[in-house]
Amino acid sequence: MHSGLEYRALSAKIDDTQFNQLFNSSSLADRARLLSISSPHASSWLSVVPSEGLGLHLNPDQFQVAIKWWLGLDTSGGSLCSLCPDTVLDPLGHHASTCKRGGDAVFRHNRLRDVVAESCRLAHLSVKVEAGNNLTPDHSHTRPADVLVQNWSRGRPAAFDICVTSPLNTLTLSEAGVCAGAAAQAGEVRKHSANDDKCGDLGWYCVPLVTETYGAWGPEAKACFSQLASRLSIRLQKPKSVILHELYGRLNTCLPVVQLLQLAVQQLQSEMVQRYLGKLHPTLEVGHICKGLLTYHHVAFHLSNSDLKASDMMEHELQLKLCV
């Protein structure tokens, strides 16, 4: 008799082998994407309970585009950016997820800020948003605290500075294609360079909360969320691991921004998820499913809503398509 532990260990080795095969055969940009989406908690948005009231809801068209972007499929259709007429949208959605025009990047930033602020308040921490502007004469045009938290550590406030960066950025692509989270770590360095002096003058800790567009958070952000989850665990009487999963789920649901999701209306209004999943290269799809980034059940649930089929029937059809 073989124990369940042995089977899980064998399954994990198979998953790792498939992922490595996929990784080694991918382009540098796809390697950066794969490393980012396979980072801890990056896929947490796929398992959150859909809730419109909490901002954790995607309609079927939006979900289709988000999954297509997540899997590295072409989200552009060769079209131009509606806000940058001379810019052709790239297949991996880098421009759509980082375009500074139209206010979508600001909308995403503010949603992340609000989730962090609400979580701090829930932990009974004193919070102020958008703090630090014009407080010192030498740095009058900077605002280092998207969320200022009083008494964060050793009696000193902490300035949480939120930033979203892309692993597909040409400045960090070579590192992001080799080291998971490299783009987020580079973002932390930039934030410290910009804000350390002013935070020091004000007696604050500078805490960059930097995430990549695919949901890989930087080391300082992960340490911060771990500390926050410890406080919330005591306050809510829930396991810290559960708190962390819920927190990352709420945060990472903010990342597929409106501009990217609007491509659903432009490109995929009548296209079903089943059709493009069936066109995937089998190794690509199996690799992602085995790494836990996507589940048959989760995709089948959304497919059943659009194809009017029972979820279990759709799940069976998916497995047959992928020969698993």
Side-chain angles (χ1 to χ4, degrees):
M1 294 290 292
H2 295 284
S3 69
L5 183 61
E6 291 176 331
Y7 282 120
R8 285 195 293 271
L10 178 60
S11 178
K13 289 183 178 180
I14 294 173
D15 295 346
D16 289 339
T17 299
Q18 291 180 325
F19 181 83
N20 290 334
Q21 290 174 346
L22 172 62
F23 182 82
N24 293 333
S25 63
S26 298
S27 66
L28 183 61
D30 263 324
R31 290 184 179 191
R33 177 184 60 82
L34 288 169
L35 288 173
S36 189
I37 65 176
S38 58
S39 298
H41 304 292
S43 60
S44 55
W45 67 280
L46 286 167
S47 58
V48 297
V49 177
S51 170
E52 292 188 58
L54 294 175
L56 303 177
H57 175 266
L58 298 176
N59 66 43
D61 284 339
Q62 291 173 336
F63 183 79
Q64 291 175 31
V65 173
I67 288 295
K68 194 171 184 180
W69 165 70
W70 183 258
L71 294 177
L73 302 178
D74 189 352
T75 59
S76 69
S79 59
L80 298 174
C81 176
S82 59
L83 301 172
C84 309
D86 297 329
T87 302
V88 178
L89 293 174
D90 56 286
L92 290 180
H94 168 65
H95 178 80
S97 63
T98 57
C99 182
K100 295 297 190 292
R101 298 185 179 182
D104 290 323
V106 174
F107 175 76
R108 174 181 60 193
H109 173 275
N110 290 346
R111 286 186 64 190
L112 290 168
R113 177 202 63 197
D114 293 344
V115 170
V116 172
E118 290 167 10
S119 300
C120 290
R121 293 189 182 105
L122 189 59
H124 285 182
L125 292 167
S126 177
V127 171
K128 181 179 180 181
V129 298
E130 306 296 348
N133 198 30
N134 296 322
L135 290 185
T136 60
D138 296 333
H139 308 277
S140 58
H141 299 295
T142 62
R143 186 177 54 217
D146 292 313
V147 180
L148 180 65
V149 182
Q150 299 294 337
N151 298 317
W152 176 250
S153 178
R154 300 179 182 178
R156 290 175 59 187
F160 294 166
D161 192 4
I162 298 167
C163 175
V164 180
T165 187
S166 173
L168 306 183
N169 189 306
T170 54
L171 296 176
T172 55
L173 179 59
S174 58
E175 292 81 10
V178 176
C179 179
Q185 292 182 54
E188 290 180 345
V189 173
R190 291 195 301 272
K191 285 296 183 181
H192 277 298
S193 177
N195 294 326
D196 274 353
D197 288 345
K198 182 174 184 181
C199 286
D201 292 343
L202 296 169
W204 300 347
Y205 292 110
C206 176
V207 183
L209 304 183
V210 183
T211 180
E212 297 177 0
T213 49
Y214 291 105
W217 289 83
E220 293 192 58
K222 288 186 282 190
C224 171
F225 296 149
S226 178
Q227 183 174 340
L228 179 58
S230 295
R231 292 172 180 256
L232 286 169
S233 177
I234 297 171
R235 168 78 176 86
L236 302 176
Q237 295 297 299
K238 294 172 67 175
K240 180 179 176 180
S241 59
V242 174
I243 297 289
L244 269 176
H245 182 74
E246 293 175 350
L247 177 58
Y248 279 110
R250 291 193 65 192
L251 289 165
N252 288 354
T253 304
C254 303
L255 294 177
V257 293
V258 174
Q259 182 175 338
L260 177 63
L261 297 179
Q262 283 175 344
L263 291 172
V265 179
Q266 302 171 14
Q267 305 293 341
L268 299 172
Q269 191 66 41
S270 61
E271 183 180 355
M272 299 299 177
V273 176
Q274 180 183 2
R275 295 173 185 170
Y276 67 73
L277 284 176
K279 296 176 183 178
L280 281 174
H281 188 284
T283 304
L284 175 67
E285 177 62 10
V286 171
H288 283 85
I289 289 178
C290 289
K291 290 301 290 186
L293 305 175
L294 185 62
T295 65
Y296 292 117
H297 178 74
H298 194 86
V299 175
F301 173 78
H302 288 271
L303 283 172
S304 65
N305 289 338
S306 58
D307 273 6
L308 301 180
K309 295 182 181 179
S311 179
D312 57 345
M313 291 178 60
M314 187 64 70
E315 184 172 350
H316 180 65
E317 288 183 18
L318 278 174
Q319 292 177 349
L320 290 177
K321 277 181 173 292
L322 296 169
C323 302
V324 176

